[in-house]
Amino acid sequence: FLAFLPELVYIFNSLARNQWKKEKYTSLQNNAVTARLQLAIPTMGCIACVNKIDTSIRQCDSATSITQEKSWLTEGSEKGGKAELKISAQSREEIDKVVQNVVTAIKNAGFESETESLQID
């Protein structure tokens, strides 16, 4: 049974992520500003780390403003991983607050992160 634990955690997180997206969709339709944030997370090294990052983002203080999130391990010689988020908010200041809350949540989960890009639409 323990041999299948990582796969079970992945399946559980996938189901939770889908439910999370459905709940957030209706509350975010009226926001005026959207943004795409990409973070580099050099200390992320395994699928359990990916799951911890995803969970931390979904549970951060600004989770209601995040419309989509995903994180993954980088391939090749580059170490670590990345996370990408789509943010919907009322103002640029609110987007900045969401970015700060996400970075803090990742740090509290035990990982360092750097903002690679923030594109505001």
Side-chain angles (χ1 to χ4, degrees):
F1 175 74
L2 291 177
F4 294 110
L5 191 57
E7 289 83 1
L8 292 173
V9 169
Y10 177 78
I11 291 169
F12 175 78
N13 282 336
S14 295
L15 293 172
R17 184 179 304 125
N18 289 336
Q19 181 63 31
W20 176 70
K21 287 178 188 176
K22 289 177 189 175
E23 292 172 1
K24 303 298 179 220
Y25 178 73
T26 56
S27 66
L28 296 173
Q29 291 177 339
N30 295 329
N31 289 337
V33 182
T34 59
R36 181 183 301 254
L37 171 66
Q38 188 166 34
L39 299 168
I41 308 169
T43 53
M44 184 167 47
C46 65
I47 193 67
C49 298
V50 172
N51 289 333
K52 190 168 185 179
I53 296 286
D54 286 343
T55 301
S56 298
I57 291 170
R58 282 195 306 271
Q59 294 176 350
C60 79
D61 292 339
S62 298
T64 56
S65 298
I66 300 169
T67 58
Q68 186 178 16
E69 61 84 21
K70 65 179 177 177
S71 57
W72 65 93
L73 295 171
T74 54
E75 296 180 9
S77 62
E78 189 176 348
K79 183 183 175 190
K82 297 189 184 292
E84 185 174 277
L85 296 88
K86 290 183 182 176
I87 303 167
S88 181
Q90 294 292 331
S91 65
R92 169 62 195 245
E93 292 78 22
E94 190 176 338
I95 287 178
D96 292 339
K97 182 180 175 186
V98 171
V99 171
Q100 184 60 41
N101 285 337
V102 167
V103 169
T104 301
I106 291 172
K107 184 174 184 176
N108 290 342
F111 300 92
E112 294 298 321
S113 65
E114 302 168 1
T115 302
E116 281 194 339
S117 67
L118 177 63
Q119 299 173 340
I120 303 204
D121 301 328

